[in-house]
Amino acid sequence: MRVDTSSANQAIVWIDPGEHLYFSLTYLRGRDFGVPFLPPCPLGSPLIRLYHGCYWLGQYQAKQAGSEVRLTGPTVIGNFRAIELPAGSSCFLNCAHLVGFSFQRGGRLRTQMSGLLSPTMWALGHPLPVIAYGPGTIVVYGEGLHEVIVEPGAEYIPSQVVSFDAARPFLARALNPDAGFLSHLANAVGQQARWVFRERTALQLVPINRPGLASSQIVLHLIAHILFWALLVLMLNL
């Protein structure tokens, strides 16, 4: 699969014969692109896809001579980016920006359940991080989406980070440096943390666009974190 993202707010996808493109219907609608009765890739990070409204993806199979598909963004200032994943490579993927994907044999999306036991991933707002494994191509979209090469020590608001090489080390820097339990909880619930990269890394980023959390969101985050810590304490006492 080849993707041309040179035009503003549009991506042209060329699918080779026999390939399948799975895509969010937000970016492509038409009589030839309906929602299948059963969702494509039903076990490919289902919880996160449900959360971001992209579980029931559209599916298109290239014709014998290959096919061209045009994707259009829902806003007038957005950009598409294509992430090529060779065999053996992987990338972190923020599914809030997922447009579509096409994997070859062995490629897949996978949720890292170990993130539930990682205070770092909870602090960064990704307790169920999604990793894409090659070979394949991922298409992402965002307002002002662009690629940057960041140096060691660079840090970003978690909502800015769309994708990066999953093999690159990183950590979370809490804005509240107090190491107490309540401080950790406040940092996680209020998303008061920064994503810090420890090596030179290529990132897919969107500009800072972080509206304050609504009261209902704060309550839901608080309940989720209370349940997490209660589960962790229970496991340690077993």
Side-chain angles (χ1 to χ4, degrees), residues 169-217:
F170 62 86
L171 52 87
R173 182 180 72 82
L175 297 187
N176 185 345
D178 187 353
F181 170 78
L182 292 179
S183 295
H184 285 317
L185 185 61
N187 284 320
V189 172
Q191 297 182 0
Q192 299 298 312
R194 295 294 182 266
W195 210 311
V196 183
F197 294 90
R198 301 171 62 183
E199 294 181 356
R200 197 167 189 266
T201 307
L203 300 182
Q204 303 289 341
L205 292 174
V206 291
I208 296 175
N209 181 17
R210 186 173 181 264
L213 291 176
S215 57
S216 58
Q217 291 177 301

Side-chain angles (χ1 to χ4, degrees), residues 146-150 154 156 161 163-165 197 201-205:
H146 61 287
E147 180 177 287
V148 296
I149 305 297
V150 301
Y156 294 91
V161 179
S163 180
F164 62 89
D165 186 343
F197 294 90
T201 307
L203 300 182
Q204 303 289 341
L205 292 174

Side-chain angles (χ1 to χ4, degrees), residues 85-90 104-105 133-136:
L85 292 174
S89 64
S90 61
Q104 301 169 28
R105 182 180 297 274
Y133 294 88

Side-chain angles (χ1 to χ4, degrees), residues 2 21 39 75 82 98 104 108 152 160 164 171 183 185:
R2 293 162 292 132
L21 171 66
T75 70
L98 176 64
Q104 301 169 28
R108 67 192 187 282
Q160 287 185 263
F164 62 89
L171 52 87
S183 295
L185 185 61

